[in-house]
Amino acid sequence: MIIDVHAHWGPWFFTMDVAEANLATMDRYGIDRAIVSATEAVIYDAQAGNRALAAYLETQERLLGYVTVNPRRLREAEADLRAYLPGGKFVGVKIHTDYTGSPVGSPQLRDALTLVAETGRPALVHTWGTSVLDLARLCLDIPGLRVIAGHMGADGFRYAIEAARACDRLYLEPCWSHAPAGRIAEVVSAVDPAQLLFGTDATLIDPSSAFGAVAAAGLTGELAERVAWRNATALFQL
């Protein structure tokens, strides 16, 4: 069993014909379920993208959704959270800090994550470099908030270790367009195994990148199962 907690649905803003590639890509790599955000919602119009994804999710069973939130449009965000989370097809919230111009340390993101915490659902938040430390501080400050550090800080993965140790409600997923030797193994050896997830960034990045990086870490037994699916099942109550 493999659950991908960081994936996308829909075309990108550059030439890349992947709008219907999700299921074929999952089949190629043996991914059983993926939790996706609508590309349109992430990069352009959150409400329109969420609406399109909601319609698509009604047609199949293997994909689950993130409600994408723009921290600078909280009234719209609140309406979408009320509309989509209760239905069962959406199991979490996605916030991209760069595309929305809402850095992790901004008051806008704090307000958005406070709203998310009230739903009881986890949020996948884009992190890079030291921003994962700011996310840990927010997680500690907001009661009940559970957050996934998308890319686990990318080149700031050592900061991600510090962040996960500081807050047990912060989870790490590894996808990144680079794969430095030993990155996954170093993180896995240093944090609570219950805080580790698997993500690929498909369809923006081919899953082979994440699969190769995780395979190089040599995970086996219960630890491999935790990363592959058990922790995601618990976090998202699947």
Side-chain angles (χ1 to χ4, degrees):
M1 171 74 75
I2 300 173
I3 299 175
D4 182 354
V5 305
H6 189 159
H8 306 278
W9 171 80
W12 291 90
F13 54 83
F14 44 83
T15 303
M16 190 163 125
D17 187 15
V18 298
E20 300 299 328
N22 293 80
L23 298 179
T25 301
M26 290 167 66
D27 288 342
R28 187 180 309 127
Y29 292 98
I31 298 170
D32 297 276
R33 305 198 82 173
I35 308 174
V36 300
S37 56
T39 305
E40 180 183 11
V42 172
I43 66 175
Y44 181 60
D45 185 328
Q47 283 200 303
N50 288 334
R51 185 166 58 248
L53 179 58
Y56 179 74
L57 292 178
E58 292 297 328
T59 68
Q60 53 74 53
E61 297 295 328
R62 292 174 64 191
L63 299 183
L64 295 166
Y66 286 113
V67 179
T68 298
V69 162
N70 184 337
R72 294 185 177 273
R73 296 184 175 181
L74 282 190
R75 184 177 300 176
E76 296 175 0
E78 189 170 7
D80 278 3
L81 293 175
R82 287 199 307 266
Y84 299 121
L85 286 179
K89 290 290 188 176
F90 287 83
V91 295
V93 178
K94 169 69 177 288
I95 302 176
H96 198 296
T97 53
D98 288 352
Y99 286 128
T100 62
S102 307
V104 176
S106 68
Q108 290 83 5
L109 189 69
R110 177 181 288 271
D111 290 345
L113 289 178
T114 299
L115 185 64
V116 172
E118 293 171 359
T119 72
R121 303 301 180 97
L124 171 61
V125 179
H126 178 84
T127 62
W128 214 266
T130 60
S131 68
V132 67
L133 295 173
D134 295 327
L135 186 62
R137 282 189 285 270
L138 273 181
C139 192
L140 290 170
D141 288 347
I142 301 173
L145 177 65
R146 294 173 297 159
V147 291
I148 303 166
H151 313 292
M152 62 184 195
D155 59 351
F157 65 93
R158 292 190 175 96
Y159 297 119
I161 293 172
E162 185 178 342
R165 286 175 168 176
C167 181
D168 62 4
R169 290 179 281 113
L170 184 144
Y171 298 79
L172 306 177
E173 68 82 15
C175 67
W176 187 24
S177 54
H178 301 297
R183 173 175 175 257
I184 306 297
E186 184 173 344
V187 172
V188 167
S189 68
V191 306
D192 186 336
Q195 293 172 263
L196 301 170
L197 301 165
F198 178 72
T200 68
D201 215 3
T203 51
L204 180 60
I205 299 175
D206 190 281
S208 59
S209 176
F211 269 87
V214 173
L219 310 184
T220 59
E222 181 184 352
L223 179 56
E225 288 192 350
R226 278 182 172 272
V227 173
W229 66 275
R230 288 191 183 277
N231 290 342
T233 298
L235 178 62
F236 292 97
Q237 299 179 347
L238 304 183

